[in-house]
Amino acid sequence: MPPADDQREPAVRVAPGADPDATVPDSEASVPDSDAQPAGRPKRPWRQLMMVVVVAIVLMLLIKAFVVQVYRIPSSSMEDTLLTGDRVLVNKLVYHARGIARGDIVVFSGDGSWGTTTGAPDPSPPGNPLLRVAYDVLADIGVYSTQTYYIKRVIGLPGDRVVCCVHGTVTVNGVPLDEKSYLFPGAKPSMRAFDVIVPSGRLWVMGDNRAISDDSRGHMRDGFPGMGTVPENEVCGRAFMIIWPLSQIGDLPIPATFQQAALHTGAPDR
């Protein structure tokens, strides 16, 4: 009987007449990749880094344009709710899901209402069409704009009758507001009497520091449209949180007085 080793399949076949010491490469052995990067060619991680940076910037701009934006409080007209220099987050999507509510703190453009704080017109956009397009894009995403923006609290919605003062309080559709939770300590609801029916598509807004706030009350005179009210379509969004300074961090909920059932029952249809 031949030895058992003779029954084994040779690991390498040798062709007849070939050099027995020469081996045929295993068909499963790896071969060099013709597309592989030649040795010594430098990697380019900066391209990946640049791509990450560009994507991050685009996402940031999209978020700023359509979702949320940071605004700085420029004056003391909203004290003690908001202090000069505070940074607030403004939700730009909320009014696509619901209407503007009484008690909301809103940021809005002076277009169609109060104009600028000085009374001078805002600078005109560039005359060059390309520059105008660039300006519009930058304004839409909140990076740069020549428009004047304000931040106030919504007191009256379209069709509301807002009156001051009835027994020392502001009333909306005959319902008195308890404003102690947000008015500047010791401030009166208003030193100026008014009785206004808010026009369609507009809002009656007031600052929480009533003694110094230049709000709807101060724009009831001739030269300002809508008895000092502001257009709903110029509202950029709702301020919902203070994020700076750290000592001021907190949300900005709608005060309880605006949740009165009688206030909503007596509200006109919008």
Side-chain angles (χ1 to χ4, degrees), residues 97-131:
R98 70 164 175 86
I100 298 171
R102 303 180 191 88
D104 280 350
I105 296 175
V106 296
V107 171
F108 59 93
S109 165
D111 280 359
S113 58
W114 309 346
T116 65
T117 55
T118 62
D122 283 321
S124 300
N128 184 296
L130 293 178
L131 291 178

Short mmCIF file of all heavy atoms in Angstrom, two decimals, residues 97-131:
data_model
loop_
_atom_site.label_atom_id
_atom_site.label_comp_id
_atom_site.label_asym_id
_atom_site.label_seq_id
_atom_site.Cartn_x
_atom_site.Cartn_y
_atom_site.Cartn_z
N ALA A 97 -47.13 77.27 12.91
CA ALA A 97 -47.91 76.21 13.56
C ALA A 97 -49.12 76.75 14.30
O ALA A 97 -50.12 76.06 14.46
CB ALA A 97 -47.02 75.43 14.53
N ARG A 98 -49.04 77.98 14.78
CA ARG A 98 -50.16 78.61 15.49
C ARG A 98 -50.14 80.11 15.23
O ARG A 98 -49.15 80.66 14.74
CB ARG A 98 -50.08 78.34 16.99
CG ARG A 98 -48.92 79.06 17.72
CD ARG A 98 -49.17 79.05 19.22
NE ARG A 98 -48.09 79.59 20.03
CZ ARG A 98 -47.93 80.87 20.32
NH1 ARG A 98 -48.75 81.78 19.80
NH2 ARG A 98 -46.94 81.26 21.11
N GLY A 99 -51.24 80.77 15.57
CA GLY A 99 -51.31 82.21 15.41
C GLY A 99 -50.58 82.93 16.53
O GLY A 99 -50.24 82.36 17.57
N ILE A 100 -50.35 84.22 16.32
CA ILE A 100 -49.76 85.05 17.37
C ILE A 100 -50.76 85.13 18.52
O ILE A 100 -51.97 85.27 18.30
CB ILE A 100 -49.45 86.45 16.82
CG1 ILE A 100 -48.42 86.34 15.69
CG2 ILE A 100 -48.94 87.38 17.93
CD1 ILE A 100 -48.19 87.64 14.93
N ALA A 101 -50.26 85.04 19.74
CA ALA A 101 -51.13 85.02 20.92
C ALA A 101 -50.93 86.26 21.77
O ALA A 101 -49.82 86.83 21.80
CB ALA A 101 -50.87 83.77 21.75
N ARG A 102 -51.97 86.68 22.45
CA ARG A 102 -51.82 87.75 23.43
C ARG A 102 -50.83 87.30 24.50
O ARG A 102 -50.86 86.16 24.96
CB ARG A 102 -53.16 88.07 24.09
CG ARG A 102 -54.27 88.47 23.12
CD ARG A 102 -55.56 88.78 23.89
NE ARG A 102 -56.71 88.91 22.99
CZ ARG A 102 -57.47 87.88 22.60
NH1 ARG A 102 -57.20 86.67 23.06
NH2 ARG A 102 -58.48 88.08 21.78
N GLY A 103 -49.96 88.20 24.90
CA GLY A 103 -48.95 87.86 25.90
C GLY A 103 -47.63 87.43 25.31
O GLY A 103 -46.62 87.40 26.02
N ASP A 104 -47.58 87.08 24.02
CA ASP A 104 -46.32 86.73 23.37
C ASP A 104 -45.39 87.94 23.35
O ASP A 104 -45.82 89.08 23.14
CB ASP A 104 -46.55 86.28 21.91
CG ASP A 104 -47.03 84.85 21.80
OD1 ASP A 104 -47.01 84.12 22.80
OD2 ASP A 104 -47.42 84.47 20.67
N ILE A 105 -44.10 87.68 23.53
CA ILE A 105 -43.09 88.71 23.29
C ILE A 105 -42.57 88.48 21.88
O ILE A 105 -42.05 87.40 21.58
CB ILE A 105 -41.94 88.62 24.32
CG1 ILE A 105 -42.47 88.90 25.73
CG2 ILE A 105 -40.83 89.61 23.97
CD1 ILE A 105 -41.43 88.72 26.82
N VAL A 106 -42.73 89.47 21.02
CA VAL A 106 -42.41 89.29 19.60
C VAL A 106 -41.35 90.28 19.14
O VAL A 106 -41.22 91.39 19.66
CB VAL A 106 -43.67 89.44 18.72
CG1 VAL A 106 -44.68 88.34 19.01
CG2 VAL A 106 -44.31 90.82 18.89
N VAL A 107 -40.58 89.84 18.15
CA VAL A 107 -39.64 90.71 17.45
C VAL A 107 -40.25 91.02 16.10
O VAL A 107 -40.74 90.12 15.41
CB VAL A 107 -38.27 90.02 17.28
CG1 VAL A 107 -37.37 90.83 16.35
CG2 VAL A 107 -37.60 89.82 18.63
N PHE A 108 -40.26 92.30 15.73
CA PHE A 108 -40.88 92.69 14.46
C PHE A 108 -40.11 93.83 13.83
O PHE A 108 -39.42 94.61 14.50
CB PHE A 108 -42.35 93.09 14.67
CG PHE A 108 -42.55 94.23 15.63
CD1 PHE A 108 -42.63 95.54 15.20
CD2 PHE A 108 -42.67 93.97 17.00
CE1 PHE A 108 -42.81 96.58 16.09
CE2 PHE A 108 -42.85 95.01 17.90
CZ PHE A 108 -42.92 96.32 17.45
N SER A 109 -40.24 93.92 12.51
CA SER A 109 -39.61 95.00 11.75
C SER A 109 -40.47 96.27 11.86
O SER A 109 -41.69 96.20 12.00
CB SER A 109 -39.48 94.59 10.29
OG SER A 109 -39.21 95.70 9.46
N GLY A 110 -39.81 97.41 11.75
CA GLY A 110 -40.53 98.69 11.79
C GLY A 110 -41.21 99.02 10.47
O GLY A 110 -41.91 100.03 10.38
N ASP A 111 -41.04 98.19 9.45
CA ASP A 111 -41.69 98.43 8.16
C ASP A 111 -43.20 98.42 8.33
O ASP A 111 -43.76 97.53 8.96
CB ASP A 111 -41.28 97.36 7.14
CG ASP A 111 -39.91 97.63 6.54
OD1 ASP A 111 -39.30 98.65 6.90
OD2 ASP A 111 -39.45 96.82 5.71
N GLY A 112 -43.86 99.37 7.74
CA GLY A 112 -45.32 99.42 7.77
C GLY A 112 -45.88 99.88 9.10
O GLY A 112 -47.09 99.80 9.32
N SER A 113 -45.02 100.37 10.00
CA SER A 113 -45.53 100.83 11.29
C SER A 113 -44.72 102.02 11.81
O SER A 113 -44.99 103.16 11.46
CB SER A 113 -45.54 99.70 12.31
OG SER A 113 -44.25 99.14 12.49
N TRP A 114 -43.69 101.76 12.59
CA TRP A 114 -43.00 102.84 13.30
C TRP A 114 -41.74 103.32 12.60
O TRP A 114 -41.15 104.33 13.00
CB TRP A 114 -42.62 102.39 14.71
CG TRP A 114 -43.76 101.81 15.49
CD1 TRP A 114 -45.10 101.89 15.20
CD2 TRP A 114 -43.67 101.04 16.69
NE1 TRP A 114 -45.84 101.22 16.13
CE2 TRP A 114 -44.99 100.69 17.07
CE3 TRP A 114 -42.61 100.63 17.48
CZ2 TRP A 114 -45.26 99.94 18.21
CZ3 TRP A 114 -42.88 99.87 18.61
CH2 TRP A 114 -44.20 99.54 18.97
N GLY A 115 -41.28 102.59 11.59
CA GLY A 115 -40.04 102.98 10.93
C GLY A 115 -38.85 102.79 11.84
O GLY A 115 -38.74 101.81 12.55
N THR A 116 -37.93 103.75 11.85
CA THR A 116 -36.72 103.67 12.67
C THR A 116 -36.92 104.38 14.00
O THR A 116 -37.89 105.13 14.19
CB THR A 116 -35.53 104.33 11.95
OG1 THR A 116 -35.79 105.74 11.81
CG2 THR A 116 -35.34 103.74 10.56
N THR A 117 -36.00 104.17 14.91
CA THR A 117 -36.08 104.81 16.23
C THR A 117 -35.82 106.31 16.15
O THR A 117 -36.25 107.06 17.02
CB THR A 117 -35.07 104.18 17.20
OG1 THR A 117 -33.75 104.26 16.62
CG2 THR A 117 -35.41 102.72 17.46
N THR A 118 -35.14 106.75 15.10
CA THR A 118 -34.84 108.18 14.95
C THR A 118 -35.86 108.92 14.11
O THR A 118 -35.86 110.16 14.06
CB THR A 118 -33.45 108.36 14.31
OG1 THR A 118 -33.47 107.79 12.99
CG2 THR A 118 -32.37 107.68 15.14
N GLY A 119 -36.72 108.18 13.45
CA GLY A 119 -37.68 108.81 12.55
C GLY A 119 -37.17 108.93 11.13
O GLY A 119 -37.94 109.19 10.20
N ALA A 120 -35.86 108.76 10.93
CA ALA A 120 -35.29 108.80 9.58
C ALA A 120 -35.59 107.48 8.89
O ALA A 120 -35.68 106.43 9.54
CB ALA A 120 -33.79 109.03 9.65
N PRO A 121 -35.75 107.49 7.58
CA PRO A 121 -36.03 106.23 6.87
C PRO A 121 -34.84 105.29 6.92
O PRO A 121 -33.69 105.73 7.02
CB PRO A 121 -36.32 106.68 5.44
CG PRO A 121 -35.63 108.01 5.31
CD PRO A 121 -35.71 108.65 6.66
N ASP A 122 -35.13 104.00 6.87
CA ASP A 122 -34.05 103.02 6.78
C ASP A 122 -33.30 103.22 5.47
O ASP A 122 -33.90 103.62 4.46
CB ASP A 122 -34.62 101.59 6.82
CG ASP A 122 -35.01 101.16 8.22
OD1 ASP A 122 -34.27 101.49 9.16
OD2 ASP A 122 -36.05 100.49 8.36
N PRO A 123 -31.99 102.97 5.45
CA PRO A 123 -31.24 103.07 4.19
C PRO A 123 -31.84 102.16 3.12
O PRO A 123 -32.30 101.06 3.42
CB PRO A 123 -29.83 102.60 4.58
CG PRO A 123 -29.74 102.83 6.05
CD PRO A 123 -31.13 102.60 6.58
N SER A 124 -31.85 102.65 1.90
CA SER A 124 -32.41 101.87 0.80
C SER A 124 -31.48 100.70 0.45
O SER A 124 -30.26 100.82 0.59
CB SER A 124 -32.60 102.74 -0.45
OG SER A 124 -33.48 103.81 -0.16
N PRO A 125 -32.04 99.59 -0.02
CA PRO A 125 -31.21 98.47 -0.48
C PRO A 125 -30.36 98.91 -1.67
O PRO A 125 -30.65 99.91 -2.33
CB PRO A 125 -32.24 97.42 -0.90
CG PRO A 125 -33.49 97.79 -0.19
CD PRO A 125 -33.47 99.29 -0.08
N PRO A 126 -29.28 98.19 -1.98
CA PRO A 126 -28.41 98.56 -3.11
C PRO A 126 -29.16 98.64 -4.42
O PRO A 126 -30.11 97.88 -4.65
CB PRO A 126 -27.36 97.43 -3.13
CG PRO A 126 -27.42 96.82 -1.77
CD PRO A 126 -28.84 96.98 -1.30
N GLY A 127 -28.73 99.54 -5.29
CA GLY A 127 -29.36 99.66 -6.60
C GLY A 127 -28.93 98.58 -7.57
O GLY A 127 -29.69 98.19 -8.45
N ASN A 128 -27.70 98.09 -7.39
CA ASN A 128 -27.20 97.02 -8.26
C ASN A 128 -28.01 95.75 -8.04
O ASN A 128 -28.15 95.29 -6.91
CB ASN A 128 -25.72 96.78 -7.94
CG ASN A 128 -25.09 95.75 -8.86
OD1 ASN A 128 -25.48 94.59 -8.84
ND2 ASN A 128 -24.11 96.18 -9.64
N PRO A 129 -28.56 95.15 -9.11
CA PRO A 129 -29.42 93.96 -8.94
C PRO A 129 -28.73 92.81 -8.22
O PRO A 129 -29.33 92.15 -7.38
CB PRO A 129 -29.77 93.58 -10.38
CG PRO A 129 -29.62 94.84 -11.16
CD PRO A 129 -28.50 95.59 -10.52
N LEU A 130 -27.44 92.56 -8.55
CA LEU A 130 -26.73 91.46 -7.89
C LEU A 130 -26.53 91.75 -6.41
O LEU A 130 -26.72 90.87 -5.56
CB LEU A 130 -25.38 91.23 -8.58
CG LEU A 130 -25.44 90.69 -10.02
CD1 LEU A 130 -24.04 90.55 -10.59
CD2 LEU A 130 -26.18 89.36 -10.05
N LEU A 131 -26.16 92.99 -6.10
CA LEU A 131 -25.97 93.36 -4.70
C LEU A 131 -27.30 93.32 -3.94
O LEU A 131 -27.35 92.95 -2.77
CB LEU A 131 -25.35 94.76 -4.60
CG LEU A 131 -23.90 94.88 -5.06
CD1 LEU A 131 -23.43 96.33 -4.94
CD2 LEU A 131 -23.00 93.96 -4.24
#
